[in-house]
């Protein structure tokens, strides 16, 4: 899917790593053939939606190597694909690309056999996080599936609108996410509108939704950016 924004910053690298969440139950042999233990896993994708020009490394629990193996994560740029981890409590630690000192830590609680996206939000020194569950079980031979998440700290409540057409998802405040909805499989131009004023704040063109695929449309960046902050934009992540 070719994606461009109205401000022509960097294009989003698609996340095509659909979680093997067909989630392969790993089966291990115990002391006898009658004793079998099954271990389930969870899936986690990490996205840098912090509206700065900084880049971040992400560490999981006590592992010393970052989970982002292709370089520090830029704002809505290269996405860390789903990683398979144990369910329950997991500690995420963030550092800047140039320093090993931790700038933000959060413990996430994941259910077994579920997929999640974790979004780093806000800006230093007030970094935060948002964990949302990703329903990768949705299937259709004719429709695509789309949800909308508002991660802009200062834009107020937002509507996601088809240009010249209907509201896909309306009235989403900061840190709120819609459920996945079905949409016709075809090209779109999407607009981000202020709920209060109706003004178009960002546009993304040439968004082709493919039948059977699952997408997250993210509003990220600042409506009134500071000198070192990213401008509000729409980005599309392919979850599966």
């Amino acid at each position: 899917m070719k994606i461009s924004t109205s401000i022509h910053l960097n294009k989003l690298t698609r996340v095509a790593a659909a979680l093997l969440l067909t989630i392969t139950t790993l089966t291990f042999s115990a002391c006898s053939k009658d004793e079998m233990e099954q271990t389930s896993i969870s899936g986690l994708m990490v996205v840098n939606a912090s509206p700065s020009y900084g880049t971040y490394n992400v560490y999981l629990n006590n592992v010393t190597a970052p989970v982002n193996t292709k370089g520090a994560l830029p704002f809505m740029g290269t996405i860390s694909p789903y990683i398979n981890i144990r369910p329950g409590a997991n500690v995420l630690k963030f550092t800047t690309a140039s320093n090993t000192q931790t700038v933000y830590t959060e413990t996430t609680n994941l259910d077994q056999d579920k997929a999640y996206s974790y979004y780093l939000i806000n800006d230093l020194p007030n970094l935060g996080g948002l964990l949302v569950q990703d329903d990768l079980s949705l299937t259709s031979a004719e429709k695509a599936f789309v949800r909308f998440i508002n991660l802009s700290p200062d834009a107020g409540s937002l509507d996601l609108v088809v240009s010249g057409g209907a509201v896909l998802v309306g009235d989403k405040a900061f840190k709120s996410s819609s459920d996945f909805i079905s949409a016709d499989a075809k090209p779109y131009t999407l607009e981000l509108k202020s709920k209060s004023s109706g003004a178009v704040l960002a546009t993304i063109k040439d968004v082709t939704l493919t039948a059977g695929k699952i997408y997250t449309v993210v509003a990220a960046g600042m409506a009134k950016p500071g000198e070192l902050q990213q401008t509000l934009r729409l980005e599309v992540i392919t979850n599966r």
Side-chain angles (χ1 to χ4, degrees), residues 180-202:
F180 285 102
I181 61 172
S182 61
D184 291 337
K186 63 179 185 179
Y188 290 86
T189 293
L190 300 176
E191 294 177 344
L192 185 65
K193 288 188 176 182
S194 165
K195 180 66 178 177
S196 60
S197 70
V200 176
L201 304 178

Side-chain angles (χ1 to χ4, degrees), residues 78-110:
T78 302
I79 305 299
S80 174
Y82 286 110
I83 53 175
N84 294 334
I85 57 177
R86 59 176 171 78
N90 288 276
V91 178
L92 288 174
K93 181 180 77 172
F94 293 84
T95 71
T96 63
S98 58
N99 197 316
T100 57
Q101 181 178 357
T102 301
V103 292
Y104 183 68
T105 301
E106 183 171 350
T107 299
T108 61
N109 287 289
L110 311 179

Side-chain angles (χ1 to χ4, degrees), residues 221-239:
M222 306 294 289
K224 296 180 179 179
E227 183 179 356
L228 298 177
Q229 291 180 318
Q230 301 276 359
T231 302
L232 180 64
R233 69 172 83 173
L234 280 172
E235 296 282 9
V236 178
I237 294 173
T238 303
N239 296 94

Side-chain angles (χ1 to χ4, degrees), residues 1-70:
M1 180 175 65
K2 182 181 179 182
I3 297 174
S4 60
T5 67
S6 56
I7 49 178
H8 300 292
L9 292 176
N10 48 348
K11 295 181 180 177
L12 180 66
T13 301
R14 302 169 187 72
V15 185
L19 181 65
L20 297 175
L21 202 106
T22 335
I23 281 193
T24 338
T25 334
L26 304 176
T27 305
F28 299 94
S29 298
C31 297
S32 73
K33 62 182 178 182
D34 296 325
E35 296 175 328
M36 303 293 288
E37 179 185 356
Q38 291 186 328
T39 302
S40 296
I41 57 175
S42 301
L44 184 68
M45 177 197 298
V46 181
V47 181
N48 175 14
S50 173
S52 72
Y53 286 90
T55 57
Y56 295 92
N57 288 317
V58 190
Y59 298 85
L60 179 66
N61 298 320
N62 294 318
V63 179
T64 57
V67 301
N68 48 294
T69 58
K70 296 183 179 180

